[in-house]
Amino acid sequence: MNASLTKLNPEQLRAATHTEGPLLIVAGAGTGKTTVLVNRLAFLIEKGLAKQEEILLITFTRKGAEEIDERADKLLPYGYVDRWISTFHDFCARILREHALDIGLPGDFKVITQTEAWVIVKKHLDEFNLDYYRPLGNPTKFIHELLKHFSRLKDEDIGPSEYLEYASGLEQDSDAMMSGGKGSKVKSKVKGARAAKAEKALGKALTETADNDMDGMEASRIIELANAYHAYNKLLLDNSYLDFGDLICYTLKLFRERPNILKIYQEKFKYIMVDEFQDTNWAQYEMIKILVGEKKNLVVVGDDDQAIYKFRGASLSNIMQFKDDFPKAKEVILNLNYRSGQAILDKAYEFIKHNDPNRLEVKLKIGKDLRAQKKEPGNVEHLYFMNDEDETRAVIEKILSLKREDKEASWADFAILTRANDTANKFIAELKRNDIPGDFLSQKGLYFKPAILDIVSYFRLLDNYHESSALFRVLNIPAFRLSHADIIAVNFFVRAKGWSMYEGIANIAAVPKVSPEGVANAAKLTAMIARHSVLARREKPSRIFLQFINESGLIRDYDFDRDKEIFNQISQFYKRIIFYEDNDPDLRLRDFMELLNLEMESGESGSLNAQADDADTVKVMTVHAAKGKEYKFVFIVNVADKKFPTIGRGEKIPVPDALVREKLPETGDEHLEEERRLFYVAMTRAKEKLFFTSAEDYGGVRKKKISRFLFEAGVAKEGAKPMYAEIQVKGAKSPGDMFLPEKEKAPACQDKYYLPSKFSFSQVETYNNCPLQYKFNYILKIPTPGKAVFVYGRVMHSVLRDFLSPLMEAGGIQPGLFGAAKGKGGKAAYPDFKKLLDIFAARWEDDGYDDQKQREGYKKKARKSLEIFYADLEENGWPEPLYLEKNFAMRLGEFMFRGAIDRVDRLSDGTAMIIDYKTGQPKDKLAFEEKRQLILYQLALEDLFKIKVSKLAYYYLDSGKKIAFSATEKDVEKFEEQALASIERIRSCDFTPTPGFVCDWCDFNGICEFRKINNR
């Protein structure tokens, strides 16, 4: 038995070694479901039951997929070529990219977010013919709700034609009722098992009031919605867009309408596993049922008590009816908890049973009470205060007290969980007030971060110099800062003159009583605005962005170690600009600002890719964000009536009952049960101590009652009186003055930096060139301008890949299709030079060059290189490519290396030659350092593909020169030793700079204090 399997408990082992037929794994909180999935993946591969590419493992979030992927890397002793571990949406996007044309979709479709959909709908709002859902005072009021409605329709796999058909039937029935008919057309429209449900829904809709005008209005409303849904989907397709719901629906359409394609994937995937099954929607589950085919080798893992994404369309009924769909499915119940103390688990179980009978435990008659495997019993406590200020301060006091008592505790052991985002702000503020490191793990808010507001304010000035609020913000940036006295002087001066504030800044030398520093800073700002205003009309916004953050000193104003999160935010905003540029090659700053304004108008505040999970900070987050996490000490705050649970609001535009496919519970309060599951998730995040806090006064007219959930959990007492908080924090200069040990343990390297878990050759080479350059590029991710040479290289690589790919297909399927493999004898059978030029014309990119002269120079250079390349093929023979741009991931020691090999040719002796294209000048002789990239590729090819490599070559496209060599065993050993040594230094956070010749071309020489320029 594999060593990792011996560590599993009996039920985990039974699940991990299951090989045939359907299986339902009911995995309670903290019971090791990810461990089971990864071990089953490894077990199936090691037993020879399937290859990695024959196992499909789908989970709910990309983060979940990445975690499973990383754990699989550690468990499996080898790399892989094609692994299918992904989210539903990524899986479907991958399928549709291959087969879009088979169902009439554009092959170059773009997947858009809900915010992008909002922008698109607003721009085309006149095409929707809205009346009921377009109030005159605020035409865009219902766009969000309409998009949510469309998303719910797609969750239920309801297409535009089905909705229109239903609406048409409803209209006819309404007309029939008004004329004395019986109203039976909807029943005839919606067939089968849903007919009775449709009739019941129609009856309810038409008998709620005796006013036939109301019936007609309801029918008109539904028709308007159905037409809007049709218009929305047409708008998407006309612009080659798909939204996230489309990915699932069109994959379903592909599988249903193209059985030959479905059969390919049914045969390909011998085993299918679905994680977080309780979070799937109806359409996702339907796709899985179709894909699993007759083999039914389907394993689903989930916990109905942790189903908390109803608002995203998740269908709890999927896991509740799995045994109905697969009656022969086996069951494994994981209830040994490795996270929490038993006292915490007992309270959680006592609480969640209030959702009976709508629980899997009742339906399947199984036991779901969790049994702790930790010796410590755990502790649950309720703290009740007079007001929310006392509550906030007392939570921070308790954190400090616990940290003082527990010598081993770090700040990262504490979490404050809230029901709503806005509750978090006061706790973050109190942490800062007491010098306690804290992070708000929010997924939104990028555009309102101070550094981003500075950049956006400067962009607004380039569009309109006289926007005073933006100007005041920019005048607080250190490089342009004016003192309070200087600003008062300028204000007084411009009011007397009748000027704008910007005119006063532009003429600041004439303003009396302004400091010399203020004059200098204002002059610097106005000069920069003048330069960048000209650039903004002809350059992309990303170029303006890079020039501003470097010329203004914005980057230099931050500390590279202390302000890591700020660098992360700047990098994310830069990527957002690039995203818009990729979608519109002609985008300029004014266009970008218009799109940004539309985003913010839609309610979008910018996505945040938080990197603070591993930092030694107190975490503040919503309960939804806490799913999948665990902490030693957990505080669930503001547990009061109408705060947790919240008041149920439901969908503003519900899907008609007749069209809903999921099976809804016949009894119980859906919203209250969802809130209970959310509360249960919050409780089961705690490992040792769980605290509930609430207050009597949250600033309203009436006093708040303690939440009913605390009584259901058995932690609150009737008649409890709030206490005054005994606050010790306020007088402390810092937490270390009173509560911390004299000497804190130095933080681990991983706590200090967000280090990568996977490496590439370019990463390691960057580190070898200069560790500080690596830190700037891969740790802080400081944005850098694109370079023409990289654009040119990308184009040339893609052109050669497309040109040679038919040879690879022919060589792999029909070796004799083109005739002779070498020489000019087969000239007529091979693609001609015109084909190569056609591909080049289609692949050429005009953007990314400094000016037209440089662009035309590169274009001429590319044409010459292609002539040389084709002549070489004609003269020396056409290759037999095995792979082109082949991706791989391989293990090197304890680490994973990823890369892509440009080309692998089959040689006449059955061995292979690896070729890497270069666009620079050829070398007469290669040093070992210059051979390392191809040695890595040889390791990957021989290890993963089991192909013997006899030659390695660099092909220099500009000259047609090829430099080939062979790697000895000593070369391979030397490469492995050097690569692992570099990675160990990275993992130890050794970023000591090595200035020298590398500084001349380093992207960061403008901000590096160690640079040495022009030393060659």
Side-chain angles (χ1 to χ4, degrees):
M1 185 182 293
N2 184 298
S4 63
L5 292 178
T6 62
K7 299 176 183 178
L8 304 183
N9 66 47
E11 291 303 297
Q12 288 176 330
L13 182 63
R14 183 177 155 220
T17 56
H18 175 81
T19 56
E20 296 296 331
L23 172 67
L24 169 63
I25 303 174
V26 182
T31 56
K33 67 178 180 65
T34 304
T35 298
V36 170
L37 287 170
V38 174
N39 274 276
R40 184 167 190 262
L41 177 74
F43 175 80
L44 294 173
I45 294 168
E46 291 172 355
K47 285 293 182 181
L49 298 172
K51 299 175 183 177
Q52 292 208 45
E53 61 268 25
E54 294 173 333
I55 302 172
L56 174 63
L57 201 164
I58 294 187
T59 189
F60 191 59
T61 64
R62 282 187 177 173
K63 185 174 181 180
E66 289 168 1
E67 180 187 356
I68 293 173
D69 196 45
E70 288 182 7
R71 290 177 67 168
D73 285 343
K74 294 175 182 177
L75 191 60
L76 293 168
Y78 32 74
Y80 58 89
V81 180
D82 200 11
R83 184 187 283 171
W84 291 75
I85 300 176
S86 72
T87 64
F88 274 96
H89 294 115
D90 288 341
F91 168 74
C92 290
R94 187 172 176 180
I95 297 294
L96 291 177
R97 296 285 181 201
E98 290 290 326
H99 305 287
L101 298 179
D102 292 295
I103 51 172
L105 289 178
D108 59 346
F109 67 81
K110 174 185 176 293
V111 182
I112 60 170
T113 64
Q114 190 178 47
T115 298
E116 291 165 323
W118 188 97
V119 173
I120 293 164
V121 170
K122 183 186 177 183
K123 286 185 174 181
H124 297 82
L125 199 57
D126 291 339
E127 300 172 25
F128 282 76
N129 296 318
L130 297 175
D131 180 25
Y132 190 97
Y133 289 107
R134 188 176 184 176
L136 293 177
N138 183 6
T140 65
K141 177 180 179 180
F142 289 112
I143 293 180
H144 266 309
E145 296 305 324
L146 286 169
L147 289 173
K148 288 179 184 177
H149 182 62
F150 300 158
S151 177
R152 282 289 294 119
L153 289 166
K154 293 179 182 183
D155 290 341
E156 297 284 332
D157 189 31
I158 300 166
S161 59
E162 183 179 1
Y163 203 5
L164 285 169
E165 186 178 11
Y166 169 78
S168 175
L170 191 64
E171 182 181 40
Q172 293 175 45
D173 274 315
S174 175
D175 292 342
M177 290 291 288
M178 292 179 71
S179 60
K182 294 183 179 179
S184 60
K185 291 186 173 59
V186 168
K187 184 174 178 180
S188 66
K189 296 282 183 184
V190 186
K191 307 212 173 164
R194 294 167 56 208
K197 189 176 182 181
E199 186 176 30
K200 181 180 178 182
L202 177 65
K204 180 181 178 182
L206 298 180
T207 57
E208 282 180 348
T209 175
D211 188 346
N212 285 331
D213 289 339
M214 292 295 291
D215 298 332
M217 185 182 296
E218 175 64 10
S220 297
R221 184 183 73 85
I222 295 296
I223 289 169
E224 181 174 313
L225 287 171
N227 284 323
Y229 186 43
H230 179 269
Y232 170 70
N233 284 281
K234 184 178 184 301
L235 179 63
L236 294 184
L237 290 177
D238 288 346
N239 290 278
S240 296
Y241 295 145
L242 298 184
D243 62 22
F244 287 113
D246 286 331
L247 294 174
I248 310 297
C249 292
Y250 282 120
T251 303
L252 264 172
K253 178 182 174 70
L254 174 72
F255 288 161
R256 287 167 177 160
E257 297 182 2
R258 298 290 182 265
N260 57 322
I261 294 175
L262 171 62
K263 186 177 179 182
I264 291 172
Y265 288 101
Q266 285 177 333
E267 292 177 351
K268 175 181 179 61
F269 298 121
K270 294 181 179 179
Y271 295 93
I272 297 177
M273 292 184 273
V274 181
D275 188 21
E276 302 287 9
F277 185 61
Q278 77 278 352
D279 294 331
T280 57
N281 61 43
W282 192 93
Q284 290 166 341
Y285 184 29
E286 194 68 14
M287 184 190 70
I288 290 295
K289 285 191 287 188
I290 291 174
L291 189 59
V292 77
E294 294 299 320
K295 297 190 298 289
K296 292 184 169 49
N297 282 334
L298 172 63
V299 170
V300 299
V301 186
D303 180 12
D304 60 302
D305 291 333
Q306 297 186 75
I308 60 173
Y309 291 110
K310 177 72 178 174
F311 70 97
R312 290 183 183 171
S315 173
L316 179 63
S317 65
N318 288 349
I319 194 169
M320 299 297 285
Q321 70 181 55
F322 181 81
K323 287 295 294 283
D324 297 334
D325 296 330
F326 298 92
K328 294 183 180 180
K330 296 179 180 178
E331 300 167 11
V332 172
I333 314 302
L334 303 181
N335 58 4
L336 297 184
N337 178 283
Y338 297 89
R339 176 188 298 159
S340 307
Q342 191 64 54
I344 297 171
L345 299 178
D346 288 344
K347 291 296 182 185
Y349 181 64
E350 177 184 348
F351 169 73
I352 199 60
K353 281 185 69 64
H354 284 80
N355 270 0
D356 288 347
N358 296 322
R359 293 178 61 241
L360 210 55
E361 184 175 44
V362 177
K363 178 179 174 62
L364 299 183
K365 296 180 173 59
I366 58 177
K368 288 190 61 187
D369 51 318
L370 300 176
R371 300 195 297 275
Q373 301 303 293
K374 297 177 65 171
K375 293 181 180 179
E376 300 81 4
N379 182 66
V380 181
E381 189 175 346
H382 174 221
L383 306 176
Y384 186 30
F385 301 97
M386 293 292 292
N387 55 58
D388 62 334
E389 291 182 359
D390 278 3
E391 180 187 6
T392 304
R393 291 198 300 267
V395 167
I396 307 308
E397 152 70 13
K398 192 68 176 178
I399 289 173
L400 288 165
S401 175
L402 289 167
K403 195 170 190 302
R404 182 186 66 230
E405 295 167 3
D406 188 339
K407 306 299 182 185
E408 300 297 321
S410 66
W411 294 120
D413 287 323
F414 297 88
I416 300 172
L417 307 186
T418 71
R419 178 61 184 88
N421 271 308
D422 54 4
T423 307
N425 296 330
K426 58 186 179 183
F427 290 96
I428 287 289
E430 192 65 26
L431 287 168
K432 288 183 177 179
R433 198 155 31 241
N434 291 280
D435 296 329
I436 300 174
D439 281 312
F440 179 29
L441 301 190
S442 172
Q443 297 178 331
K444 296 290 183 181
L446 175 65
Y447 299 155
F448 298 104
K449 296 298 182 183
I452 307 306
L453 284 172
D454 289 343
I455 297 167
V456 171
S457 295
Y458 182 74
F459 282 0
R460 294 196 194 285
L461 281 183
L462 297 183
D463 189 44
N464 179 6
Y465 298 163
H466 306 291
E467 190 168 327
S468 297
S469 60
L471 179 59
F472 275 107
R473 176 102 201 171
V474 173
L475 289 174
N476 277 291
I477 296 174
F480 315 119
R481 183 168 291 153
L482 264 65
S483 68
H484 183 63
D486 287 343
I487 289 178
I488 290 175
V490 174
N491 258 324
F492 184 80
F493 183 77
V494 298
R495 285 181 182 179
K497 291 281 188 181
W499 289 356
S500 70
M501 185 67 177
Y502 180 80
E503 289 173 305
I505 297 297
N507 295 277
I508 197 168
V511 179
K513 299 181 181 179
V514 174
S515 68
E517 183 183 6
V519 172
N521 287 348
K524 189 191 306 180
L525 174 62
T526 53
M528 186 180 294
I529 289 175
R531 290 197 309 274
H532 290 172
S533 296
V534 175
L535 289 176
R537 290 191 287 272
R538 65 170 189 259
E539 296 284 358
K540 291 185 175 184
S542 60
R543 302 289 284 269
I544 310 299
F545 170 88
L546 291 168
Q547 292 206 23
F548 171 67
I549 65 172
N550 285 293
E551 292 178 21
S552 67
L554 190 70
I555 291 289
R556 291 190 298 272
D557 289 337
Y558 295 114
D559 184 275
F560 293 133
D561 291 330
R562 184 193 65 224
D563 301 319
K564 295 184 291 294
E565 272 305 303
I566 295 176
F567 285 103
N568 179 35
Q569 294 157 12
I570 291 173
S571 175
Q572 288 178 59
F573 188 66
Y574 178 66
K575 289 176 182 177
R576 191 64 184 160
I577 298 174
I578 294 296
F579 170 81
Y580 278 122
E581 290 178 352
D582 288 343
N583 287 288
D584 181 3
D586 298 321
L587 189 82
R588 293 298 176 258
L589 185 64
R590 176 166 289 184
D591 305 319
F592 171 73
M593 291 305 296
E594 180 183 351
L595 289 169
L596 185 66
N597 290 335
L598 281 171
E599 272 201 64
M600 298 175 79
E601 184 185 343
S602 78
E604 175 63 47
S605 58
S607 297
L608 274 169
N609 299 325
Q611 297 189 28
D613 280 16
D614 298 326
D616 189 20
T617 57
V618 176
K619 305 302 186 295
V620 184
M621 72 196 91
T622 64
V623 180
H624 281 103
K627 178 79 181 295
K629 295 178 169 62
E630 58 182 42
Y631 300 94
K632 199 171 185 178
F633 310 105
V634 169
F635 293 80
I636 305 174
V637 298
N638 287 194
V639 189
D641 183 43
K642 296 184 177 59
K643 284 183 169 288
F644 206 164
T646 60
I647 300 171
R649 291 183 173 85
E651 296 175 342
K652 292 184 179 178
I653 310 178
V655 175
D657 285 349
L659 296 176
V660 175
R661 289 179 164 92
E662 69 168 301
K663 295 180 180 179
L664 301 175
E666 296 180 1
T667 60
D669 183 326
E670 279 189 76
H671 172 73
L672 187 61
E673 290 180 4
E674 174 96 350
E675 289 287 295
R676 278 201 191 97
R677 292 192 292 270
L678 190 60
F679 199 70
Y680 176 81
V681 166
M683 294 177 73
T684 52
R685 300 310 95 198
K687 295 197 285 188
E688 292 187 10
K689 293 182 184 295
L690 172 62
F691 298 93
F692 301 101
T693 69
S694 50
E696 190 177 57
D697 180 7
Y698 285 98
V701 177
R702 297 181 180 179
K703 293 180 179 179
K704 284 286 185 183
K705 296 179 181 178
I706 295 173
S707 168
R708 62 180 289 175
F709 284 178
L710 294 179
F711 295 104
E712 291 178 0
V715 295
K717 298 176 181 178
E718 293 288 351
K721 299 294 184 182
M723 60 181 175
Y724 288 96
E726 296 179 5
I727 307 300
Q728 298 179 350
V729 180
K730 203 168 184 179
K733 294 179 181 178
S734 73
D737 289 345
M738 296 196 313
F739 300 107
L740 300 185
E742 290 184 8
K743 189 174 182 180
E744 285 282 352
K745 183 180 178 182
C749 176
Q750 285 77 5
D751 291 334
K752 190 175 181 183
Y753 298 108
Y754 313 121
L755 300 177
S757 58
K758 295 180 176 67
F759 297 88
S760 66
F761 178 78
S762 58
Q763 277 192 48
V764 174
E765 283 300 281
T766 299
Y767 185 84
N768 291 334
N769 287 331
C770 177
L772 186 57
Q773 184 188 50
Y774 176 91
K775 177 182 176 181
F776 286 151
N777 198 358
Y778 293 102
I779 305 298
L780 299 177
K781 295 183 173 66
I782 296 175
T784 59
K787 293 184 178 179
V789 66
F790 294 147
V791 177
Y792 170 71
R794 183 172 65 246
V795 168
M796 294 299 287
H797 277 70
S798 61
V799 169
L800 298 183
R801 178 200 62 212
D802 291 356
F803 181 67
L804 294 177
S805 60
L807 276 68
M808 182 177 71
E809 294 168 5
I813 300 171
Q814 294 176 323
L817 184 64
F818 286 125
K822 292 187 177 182
K824 297 182 179 180
K827 180 178 179 180
Y830 290 107
D832 57 20
F833 185 61
K834 181 179 180 302
K835 177 65 174 176
L836 182 57
L837 291 183
D838 288 344
I839 294 173
F840 171 65
R843 285 289 183 180
W844 177 255
E845 299 176 21
D846 277 333
D847 293 314
Y849 301 95
D850 292 340
D851 49 43
Q852 184 175 355
K853 181 180 179 181
Q854 187 187 56
R855 178 169 54 250
E856 291 305 315
Y858 270 107
K859 203 168 189 177
K860 184 178 180 181
K861 180 181 178 181
R863 171 70 185 248
K864 182 66 176 176
S865 295
L866 294 177
E867 290 176 357
I868 294 171
F869 181 80
Y870 193 84
D872 179 64
L873 295 177
E874 292 279 88
E875 181 68 28
N876 297 311
W878 292 73
E880 187 177 346
L882 289 170
Y883 301 108
L884 297 170
E885 291 194 15
K886 189 64 177 177
N887 294 312
F888 68 86
M890 64 168 289
R891 185 175 295 282
L892 194 62
E894 298 179 7
F895 308 102
M896 292 299 293
F897 257 83
R898 287 185 171 176
I901 305 173
D902 287 347
R903 186 172 125 199
V904 180
D905 289 351
R906 178 187 283 119
L907 301 180
S908 58
D909 62 359
T911 62
M913 176 168 67
I914 296 175
I915 297 174
D916 189 75
Y917 299 128
K918 296 293 183 186
T919 55
Q921 293 300 313
K923 303 286 183 69
D924 293 328
K925 187 177 180 181
L926 296 175
F928 177 77
E929 289 73 19
E930 293 160 325
K931 297 179 179 180
R932 290 188 294 207
Q933 182 177 5
L934 289 181
I935 293 173
L936 169 64
Y937 293 168
Q938 176 176 329
L939 268 171
L941 202 65
E942 293 184 338
D943 185 37
L944 301 177
F945 298 81
K946 309 305 178 187
I947 297 174
K948 176 62 179 174
V949 177
S950 60
K951 286 187 179 180
L952 305 170
Y954 289 116
Y955 188 103
Y956 293 89
L957 294 171
D958 294 350
S959 63
K961 184 175 180 179
K962 185 186 295 180
I963 300 180
F965 64 95
S966 298
T968 65
E969 288 187 14
K970 286 188 176 180
D971 289 336
V972 173
E973 291 175 3
K974 185 177 180 181
F975 167 77
E976 289 181 322
E977 182 181 336
Q978 290 183 352
L980 290 172
S982 296
I983 293 174
E984 289 295 347
R985 288 182 61 199
I986 292 172
R987 301 295 292 177
S988 69
C989 298
D990 180 1
F991 301 122
T992 306
T994 55
F997 75 93
V998 69
C999 297
D1000 283 337
W1001 47 265
C1002 177
D1003 289 321
F1004 310 103
N1005 57 31
I1007 61 172
C1008 179
E1009 61 183 295
F1010 303 100
R1011 65 189 184 278
K1012 292 182 179 178
I1013 306 298
N1014 298 321
N1015 54 43
R1016 287 185 289 179

